[in-house]
Amino acid sequence: MAAKRSRTAPIWAYMEHLRTKHPIEYAELREESDAGKTVSTSKQPRLTVQPTLADTIAKTTPYKSDSNKKKEFDDLVVRMIAEDLQPVSVVEDKGFRRLLHGLNPRYQLPSRREISRTLLPNLYKHEVEKMRKELDQAKHISLTTDIWTSRQTKGFITVTAHFISQDWTLHSAVLETVCMTKAHTSENIAEELTLVSNKWNIKEKICSIVTDNAANIKAAVNEMNIRQVPCFAHTLNLVVQDAIRNTADVRKVKEKVKRVVTFFHHSVKASDKLIQLQQQHNHPIKKLLQDVDTRWNSTYYMMERYLEQSKLVTTTLCLLGRNDLCLSADENMLYLWRNVDETFVKSRAASLGRVAGNMELP
């Protein structure tokens, strides 16, 4: 009886196919085997595959500048810079470069010049065209806008569009942030809003513009013959601030608490002493909160935090010789809560605070 003819195991045919047709994948497989993994079959002994010089060179050769992989990684890096507000110089940081080289030695980061002059502008153009298409499909658009001042005391106006897409999803997008070099008159504001609307070709779709209660910006919207809607958060803030100003006891306590908080924020010695006392009395380590004029609920949180830490704050002030800042017994926050259902007030105030806090001012 003739002996059966031996056949090559399928695994070896597969390995030969990888070696000749897919050298990079073949080199990766050999690298895994070199790290301790082995390739085996039922008919062949377990063998460790060793990488060749050609395989190693192929695995470390940089991607070509026009390759899809290179473009894919470049896009990810640029989007990281844009979305995370990272400086363009991050591509020059040693740690970042070392990280990416360890993840994929074939990828070479683009230069700072290429990102700022080519990749970022291309990404911006892509996103603009994408937004134009979405705005073209929207039937009705509402704008929110506000004029604000930068730390360099320059005036800016920001315009944000809000619309519902065809699949009934609410979208919001900042269209422009423009430096206001002219006086902030209603005519100049209306001119800027009109330029932005025409640039995005949405003027006929605008059904309303939400603004604060400033006379100039309200007049500007009226000049455009568009419905002006007052910002709820801004209106609520005005209501509460007026109520505080017209309530003598509350206003007095607020002003004194604000002076105390300001003192702790400007004195390292005082803040360190407060932390020391909190640790000694097993209190949570918490800093005092300062209120913001445009956020009424910040006043509530400032008062609440002071009430929570009032005993330790008073002790700190006395130890530092600042008895003049201490609140008297009648001025203590507990005085204001004496005949009030505290649980009800806190729950209602916190609820209103979340509503106002979650609503961005236009």
Side-chain angles (χ1 to χ4, degrees), residues 21-91:
K21 302 295 183 180
H22 308 281
I24 296 177
E25 288 77 3
Y26 179 70
E28 292 176 350
L29 184 59
R30 292 177 70 102
E31 181 181 356
E32 291 181 356
S33 299
D34 189 46
K37 297 182 179 180
T38 58
V39 179
S40 65
T41 68
S42 59
K43 296 184 178 180
Q44 298 288 345
R46 298 173 65 87
L47 299 176
T48 299
V49 183
Q50 297 294 331
T52 64
L53 178 60
D55 295 333
T56 303
I57 294 176
K59 187 173 177 60
T60 58
T61 301
Y63 294 118
K64 294 182 179 179
S65 59
D66 59 346
S67 68
N68 291 333
K69 271 295 182 182
K70 167 69 172 172
K71 293 177 181 179
E72 178 184 343
F73 286 128
D74 285 349
D75 182 69
L76 290 173
V77 170
V78 174
R79 288 184 180 276
M80 179 205 71
I81 292 174
E83 294 175 8
D84 296 343
L85 300 179
Q86 294 291 330
V88 178
S89 60
V90 70
V91 297

Side-chain angles (χ1 to χ4, degrees), residues 192-218:
E192 291 291 350
L193 291 176
T194 302
L195 288 173
V196 173
S197 302
N198 290 335
K199 177 180 178 180
W200 291 91
N201 195 29
I202 59 173
K203 192 172 188 303
E204 302 304 321
K205 297 182 178 182
I206 300 175
C207 56
S208 65
I209 300 180
V210 181
T211 72
D212 60 22
N213 293 277
N216 58 348
I217 201 163
K218 290 171 64 177

Side-chain angles (χ1 to χ4, degrees), residues 85 124 127-132 134-135 141-146 148 156-163 170-179 193 196-197 199-200 202 360-362:
L85 300 179
Y124 172 76
E127 293 299 323
V128 166
E129 290 304 315
K130 179 181 176 182
M131 182 52 57
R132 285 190 184 280
E134 293 182 359
L135 293 173
I141 298 173
S142 178
L143 300 181
T144 55
T145 184
D146 188 30
W148 51 279
F156 291 86
I157 183 170
T158 297
V159 181
T160 305
H162 310 270
F163 58 94
L170 177 62
H171 294 269
S172 298
V174 175
L175 301 182
E176 299 284 343
T177 294
V178 183
C179 184
L193 291 176
V196 173
S197 302
K199 177 180 178 180
W200 291 91
I202 59 173
E360 294 292 337
L361 289 178

Side-chain angles (χ1 to χ4, degrees), residues 87-152:
V88 178
S89 60
V90 70
V91 297
E92 298 176 347
D93 293 346
K94 293 181 180 178
F96 185 62
R97 297 180 68 88
R98 189 184 302 117
L99 170 65
L100 291 189
H101 180 76
L103 294 174
N104 190 334
R106 299 193 66 198
Y107 174 63
Q108 291 186 331
L109 278 165
S111 66
R112 184 173 176 177
R113 177 188 180 93
E114 183 182 1
I115 290 179
S116 58
R117 297 199 177 188
T118 304
L119 299 181
L120 272 176
N122 289 343
L123 177 61
Y124 172 76
K125 292 177 182 178
H126 172 77
E127 293 299 323
V128 166
E129 290 304 315
K130 179 181 176 182
M131 182 52 57
R132 285 190 184 280
K133 292 179 181 178
E134 293 182 359
L135 293 173
D136 288 342
Q137 295 176 355
K139 293 184 178 180
H140 305 285
I141 298 173
S142 178
L143 300 181
T144 55
T145 184
D146 188 30
I147 297 176
W148 51 279
T149 304
S150 69
R151 293 181 178 178
Q152 290 76 30

Side-chain angles (χ1 to χ4, degrees), residues 257-268:
V257 170
K258 190 166 186 174
R259 285 198 294 271
V260 171
V261 175
T262 300
F263 170 72
F264 276 88
H265 279 202
H266 287 82
S267 173
V268 176

Side-chain angles (χ1 to χ4, degrees), residues 257-308:
V257 170
K258 190 166 186 174
R259 285 198 294 271
V260 171
V261 175
T262 300
F263 170 72
F264 276 88
H265 279 202
H266 287 82
S267 173
V268 176
K269 185 177 181 180
S271 59
D272 288 347
K273 189 62 178 178
L274 178 59
I275 293 175
Q276 181 183 351
L277 290 175
Q278 289 172 337
Q279 292 173 335
Q280 291 177 356
H281 291 80
N282 294 323
H283 274 231
I285 307 299
K286 296 181 181 179
K287 293 183 178 180
L288 297 180
L289 303 177
Q290 187 64 277
D291 71 339
V292 180
D293 291 337
T294 55
R295 294 288 189 275
W296 76 267
N297 50 322
S298 67
T299 301
Y300 168 78
Y301 293 127
M302 177 185 73
M303 299 284 208
E304 182 183 49
R305 178 61 58 81
Y306 175 82
L307 176 61
E308 176 187 315

